[in-house]
Amino acid sequence: MAPRKYDIVIWGASGFTGSHLVEYLALNAPAGTRIAIGGRCRDRITSVRDKLAAKHPDAAISLESMDILVGDSLSAEDMRAVAAQTRVVASTVGPYAVYGEQLVRACVEETTDYCDITAEVPWIRDMHRELNEKAVRGNVHIVPLCGFDCIPADLGCLMLSQYAREELGQQLLHVKGSITGIRGGVSGGTLATLANQLGIEARRMWKRWRAKISGDAPRRAQEPNGRETSRAMIHYDRTLGRWQSFWVMSIINQMTAKWAGRELSYGPSFSYAESMTSYNLPHAVGQALGFFGLGLFMFFGITRNLLYALRAIPRPGEGPSEKFMKTGFFSLHLEAFSESEVFYGKVSGSSDPGYSETIKYLGESALCLAFDRDASFRPGIYPPSVAIGTKLLARLRTKNCQFDVARMPISAVDQKKAA
């Protein structure tokens, strides 16, 4: 790669998540890291930089040294101009299916590494199908899914696979994930992305149903050895001694973990299933109904606009308060099955998973791409575990992110605290 003016460009710096990422890197990037901040409105970005400099006087020099780049995310020319100046782009501009394509294309063309927090699997799938080979040839690392969806599940399964291989001499066959406790807020940008993804996925589901009715749908492969790896939406987990319910991120996490398992050869037909712990059966039913109700309201424009008008949900650019984010947490319990052993993992965070933890994950992913690259990195368009997994896992463990493996399940004390 030719010398670049910047190490990292934060794209979307004036948004809710982007402004917090600017703050995180100003406080945590190594001295001398060359950072630029960008988006479509210079005045708003300047305002973000000035407010953060006033809030953190010790980091004011670092913040004031950040150049401002302005461009239109829908413009191929603007995005190539941004990508050509930096070694790494960290993007917070969603929905990515709308605003992310030109930037990813520009990064592949300009051989610039890239990371983001999208969980828009259909869009990721499209970008991988179209651009992966070119990214591999250019030794470019395009790393989506660097937020709460899907770092805990993705790196958690990587951790368990490494343990199975190195400590047990076996392959990893299946992992059961359970969110045993969580508290966090949601931003308008996340909800806008959810609404856009629901529309895309609904159209894909309709096409699959039409193919199934016409008899053109491909047949699914059978699981080896008759293993039952799927779980009912509401079920009782005997290991945790708790009822489990549908978890809104489970579909995305399951798809990502399975993708990584194929790429990294965890084991034959590796699978991952995820749910959310409930207090009792009625609570489990209520959780599932609540998630589906929100999905329906966000899917239709009329009901979504009604929620905006009633201030029941935040608009894009809005999010939870800093005080609320500091009170957040999450705990993910993992039960792993190798060829002859059962063992356990735990991934947890001590702040709001959707924002404070997500910002940490994205910030460390950008720093990892900028400063940790070695032979273990895999070029192409892949989830974090595949592209930068071992190095990123080591980074996050130094940032108060718990990634642990044990031969015994999560303790009753941990369950009680998480609940």
Side-chain angles (χ1 to χ4, degrees), residues 26-171:
L27 298 176
N28 291 276
T33 302
R34 301 166 302 161
I35 299 173
I37 54 180
R40 62 183 178 182
C41 179
R42 179 177 296 275
D43 289 344
R44 289 181 62 188
I45 299 169
T46 302
S47 176
V48 165
R49 187 179 63 180
D50 292 347
K51 288 178 180 177
L52 289 174
K55 179 181 177 181
H56 300 287
D58 292 345
I61 294 176
S62 174
L63 285 157
E64 290 165 0
S65 70
M66 294 180 182
D67 291 343
I68 294 175
L69 307 180
V70 178
D72 181 353
S73 293
L74 300 178
S75 167
E77 182 180 357
D78 285 0
M79 293 303 95
R80 287 200 68 164
V82 169
Q85 298 183 67
T86 184
R87 297 168 57 217
V88 177
V89 172
S91 175
T92 63
V93 180
Y96 291 85
V98 178
Y99 298 109
E101 181 174 340
Q102 294 303 329
L103 183 53
V104 169
R105 290 182 182 279
C107 286
V108 173
E109 292 292 338
E110 298 293 338
T111 63
T112 299
D113 288 347
Y114 167 96
C115 55
D116 67 31
I117 53 174
T118 186
E120 299 165 58
V121 173
W123 177 71
I124 297 169
R125 192 184 294 133
D126 290 343
M127 292 293 95
H128 181 272
R129 182 171 54 248
E130 187 173 347
L131 298 173
N132 187 65
E133 289 186 8
K134 189 167 187 177
V136 171
R137 290 196 303 270
N139 197 29
V140 181
H141 305 85
I142 305 295
V143 193
L145 302 158
C146 291
F148 181 55
D149 40 358
C150 302
I151 288 285
D154 183 38
L155 294 191
C157 288
L158 173 67
M159 169 187 71
L160 294 170
S161 176
Q162 291 174 340
Y163 181 86
R165 186 177 293 113
E166 296 168 6
E167 300 297 327
L168 305 177
Q170 298 184 13
Q171 292 181 305

Side-chain angles (χ1 to χ4, degrees), residues 224-287:
N225 305 323
R227 289 187 295 112
E228 179 59 51
T229 58
S230 61
R231 294 187 282 178
M233 183 179 299
I234 298 173
H235 63 278
Y236 187 77
D237 188 297
R238 296 184 183 279
T239 301
L240 293 172
R242 303 281 287 276
W243 281 95
Q244 303 291 308
S245 182
F246 173 76
W247 167 235
V248 68
M249 294 181 179
S250 61
I251 297 173
I252 297 163
N253 289 335
Q254 287 162 188
M255 293 173 68
T256 302
K258 189 173 182 178
W259 180 15
R262 287 196 308 270
E263 298 294 337
L264 297 175
S265 302
Y266 289 169
S269 299
F270 167 79
S271 59
Y272 177 75
E274 192 173 78
S275 58
M276 185 175 190
T277 296
S278 305
Y279 296 114
N280 48 42
L281 180 56
H283 185 225
V285 174
Q287 283 179 325

Side-chain angles (χ1 to χ4, degrees), residues 152 155-163 175 330-336 343-349 393 396-398 400-410 414:
L155 294 191
C157 288
L158 173 67
M159 169 187 71
L160 294 170
S161 176
Q162 291 174 340
Y163 181 86
V175 175
F330 81 93
S331 181
L332 172 64
H333 174 264
L334 300 168
E335 184 174 8
F343 54 104
Y344 304 89
K346 183 178 178 182
V347 181
S348 70
L393 187 58
L396 293 178
R397 280 173 164 155
T398 69
N400 200 31
C401 299
Q402 182 183 15
F403 286 87
D404 288 338
V405 184
R407 297 306 298 268
M408 298 296 291
I410 187 171
D414 286 336

Side-chain angles (χ1 to χ4, degrees), residues 136-408:
V136 171
R137 290 196 303 270
N139 197 29
V140 181
H141 305 85
I142 305 295
V143 193
L145 302 158
C146 291
F148 181 55
D149 40 358
C150 302
I151 288 285
D154 183 38
L155 294 191
C157 288
L158 173 67
M159 169 187 71
L160 294 170
S161 176
Q162 291 174 340
Y163 181 86
R165 186 177 293 113
E166 296 168 6
E167 300 297 327
L168 305 177
Q170 298 184 13
Q171 292 181 305
L172 184 65
L173 303 181
H174 177 61
V175 175
K176 291 163 54 179
S178 298
I179 297 291
T180 55
I182 188 167
R183 181 189 296 126
V186 64
S187 80
T190 297
L191 291 173
T193 296
L194 172 63
N196 185 69
Q197 186 172 348
L198 284 170
I200 294 172
E201 199 58 43
R203 288 189 289 272
R204 289 180 182 270
M205 288 177 65
W206 172 241
K207 290 181 180 178
R208 288 196 295 268
W209 272 104
R210 289 179 59 185
K212 187 174 183 180
I213 292 170
S214 64
D216 296 330
R219 300 186 63 168
R220 292 189 178 186
Q222 296 292 315
E223 292 288 349
N225 305 323
R227 289 187 295 112
E228 179 59 51
T229 58
S230 61
R231 294 187 282 178
M233 183 179 299
I234 298 173
H235 63 278
Y236 187 77
D237 188 297
R238 296 184 183 279
T239 301
L240 293 172
R242 303 281 287 276
W243 281 95
Q244 303 291 308
S245 182
F246 173 76
W247 167 235
V248 68
M249 294 181 179
S250 61
I251 297 173
I252 297 163
N253 289 335
Q254 287 162 188
M255 293 173 68
T256 302
K258 189 173 182 178
W259 180 15
R262 287 196 308 270
E263 298 294 337
L264 297 175
S265 302
Y266 289 169
S269 299
F270 167 79
S271 59
Y272 177 75
E274 192 173 78
S275 58
M276 185 175 190
T277 296
S278 305
Y279 296 114
N280 48 42
L281 180 56
H283 185 225
V285 174
Q287 283 179 325
L289 292 175
F291 282 131
F292 282 108
L294 176 62
L296 284 173
F297 270 86
M298 289 302 299
F299 181 75
F300 297 104
I302 294 176
T303 50
R304 185 166 65 247
N305 289 333
L306 176 62
L307 292 176
Y308 285 143
L310 296 174
R311 306 297 295 175
I313 59 174
R315 293 181 179 274
E318 300 175 347
S321 69
E322 190 167 324
K323 180 179 180 181
F324 182 85
M325 288 194 294
K326 289 180 179 179
T327 67
F329 67 89
F330 81 93
S331 181
L332 172 64
H333 174 264
L334 300 168
E335 184 174 8
F337 300 82
S338 65
E339 293 155 298
S340 64
E341 301 286 342
V342 180
F343 54 104
Y344 304 89
K346 183 178 178 182
V347 181
S348 70
S350 57
S351 60
D352 186 312
Y355 288 91
S356 300
E357 295 298 310
T358 284
I359 290 157
K360 183 190 303 180
Y361 296 156
L362 182 59
E364 293 302 324
S365 296
L367 292 170
C368 188
L369 285 166
F371 300 119
D372 298 345
R373 185 192 285 205
D374 65 9
S376 70
F377 280 29
R378 181 171 174 178
I381 301 177
Y382 292 112
S385 59
V386 178
I388 56 175
T390 301
K391 290 288 188 177
L392 180 58
L393 187 58
R395 269 188 169 273
L396 293 178
R397 280 173 164 155
T398 69
K399 296 295 181 178
N400 200 31
C401 299
Q402 182 183 15
F403 286 87
D404 288 338
V405 184
R407 297 306 298 268
M408 298 296 291

